[in-house]
Amino acid sequence: MSTRLLVPSTALLWGLQFAFLNPALALILTTLYGASTTELGWALALYNASALIATTIIPARADRTGRYLRPMLVSAVLSILLTALLGVSTSLPLAVAALVVLGGPAGVGSTLLFAHLRHAGASGQQIISTRALFSVAWVAGPPIATFLIGTFGERAALLAIALTAALSFVATALLQAAGARAQPSAPQADEPDPGPLPGRAGVVVIVVGFVLLQAANASAMSFMTVYVTQSLELDVMWAGVALGVAAGLEVPALLLIGRLSTRFTAQRLIITGCAAGVVYYLLLAVVQTPASLLGIQLLNAWCFAAISGTGLTLFQQIIARPGLATSLYMNARRIGAILSGGVIALGSATVLGQAGIYVACAVLTAIGLLAVALAHRRRADPVPDPPVPSA
C-alpha cells in the first residue's frame, strides 16, 4: 500500500472500530448479560474511567520514547481480546472487568495516531483532514452496527469490531514498517504564525475552556431527542434527521477548516466556531418548526468541526509533547461528557424549562470562547545577562 494511503486508511479503520463499539455496547451489555439500567450505568462509568486513565498515562509514556505506533499495535490486540471475551463470557462482572482492563487501554489507539502525526511533522491541515475521516467513520459506523445487530444478533457486531481491529493492526504495522512520515507528498503552504503562545496558566485556561465547550456539545447532543419530542412536540424522527444533517455537514466543514488553517490561526478558527455555537444554542432554544431545526444545523456543524478539528491542532501547538497534548484534548471531551449531566439538570431547572439547557450551553460556549481568546498572552521576555565589563 502506498504511504500516501496508509495514514488515512489507518485513521478510518481506527474510527470505524469505535464507531461500531460505542453505540452497540449498551445493547450488548443489556441483551447478552441482562444488565439492568443501574448496572449498565455503573459499567459504562467504569469503562469510561478506565479509558480516561489510559488516555492520560499511555500517550505520556509514549512521549518519552517518541514511539507512538508500537502501543497502537498493543491497543489493536487488546480490542480483539476484548471482543473475544465479550463474545464467550456469560457473566456481567466478567464482561465489566474485561471492559475496564482491556477496553480502556484499547481505546487509546486514535489518540496515539494523532500524536504520531504531530511527532512525524504533519501540518495542521493534514491533522484536521485526518480528523474528518473519524467523522466519516462515525457517520457510517452506528448504522452498520445496528444493522448487524438487528439482522444477525449482538455477537455479529462483536465480530465486526474484531475484524476491524485486526485490519487496524495490519494498517498500523504497515505504517510502522514503512517508517511513514506524516508529510504530504505535495508541497503545503506555510502555516500562519500562531502568535505568542500561552504559558502554563494560559494552557490551563484553554483546557478548562475546552472542557466547558465539550460539556455544552455533549449536553446538546444527548438531550436532542427528548427536547424535540417534549418541548417542540415534533416526531422523534426529526431529532434523528437533525443529528444526521449535522453529522453529514461536519465532514465538509472539517475539510474547509483544514484549507483555511493555512491562512488563519487555530485560535481564530476556534473563535469563529464558538461564535457559531453560541448563536446555534440560542436559536435552538426558540425554534418551533422542523425547517428551522434543520436550517440551524449548519451552525452546529461549523461549531463542532472547529472545536474538534482545530481544537486538536491548537493543543498540539501550545503543548510541546504530542502525546500529552492529544491526551489532554481527548480527556477534555470525556470530562465534558461527564459534566453534561449536571448541565442538563441545572439548565432544565430554570424558568425556561428544557430550553434553559440550550441557553446554558450558549453561556458555556461563550466562556470557552473567552478562554481561547484571552489565554494567548505573550510570555515574559527573559531577563538579559548583565553586560560583561570591559577589561
Side-chain angles (χ1 to χ4, degrees), residues 17 58 73-83 101-106 165:
Q17 186 181 149
I58 296 175
L73 295 173
V74 177
S75 294
V77 172
L78 293 179
S79 293
I80 297 172
L81 292 176
L82 173 64
T83 57
V101 176
L102 302 177

Side-chain angles (χ1 to χ4, degrees), residues 42-114:
W42 279 109
L44 294 178
L46 291 172
Y47 168 59
N48 286 321
S50 172
L52 181 67
I53 294 171
T55 307
T56 302
I57 295 175
I58 296 175
R61 291 178 61 89
D63 281 332
R64 299 175 186 174
T65 62
R67 297 179 178 178
Y68 303 94
L69 296 178
R70 184 174 297 175
M72 283 180 66
L73 295 173
V74 177
S75 294
V77 172
L78 293 179
S79 293
I80 297 172
L81 292 176
L82 173 64
T83 57
L85 278 176
L86 291 178
V88 301
S89 174
T90 57
S91 166
L92 179 62
L94 180 59
V96 173
L99 283 172
V100 172
V101 176
L102 302 177
V108 185
S110 58
T111 302
L112 292 167
L113 176 61
F114 286 111

Side-chain angles (χ1 to χ4, degrees), residues 209 211-213 215-216 219 278 343 357 359-369:
V211 169
L212 299 180
L213 292 174
S219 301
V278 171
V343 175
I357 295 170
V359 174
C361 290
V363 172
L364 293 178
T365 305
I367 296 173
L369 186 156

Side-chain angles (χ1 to χ4, degrees), residues 9 40 44 54-55 73 86 102 104 118 124 163 192 206 283 328 332 384:
S9 299
L40 176 63
L44 294 178
T55 307
L73 295 173
L86 291 178
L102 302 177
R118 185 65 179 181
L163 177 60
I206 290 177
L283 290 177
L328 281 176

Side-chain angles (χ1 to χ4, degrees), residues 193-199 206 267 318 375-379:
D193 182 3
L197 298 179
I206 290 177
Q267 181 191 21
I318 65 177
H376 280 64
R377 294 178 296 181
R378 187 178 299 276
R379 298 183 184 210

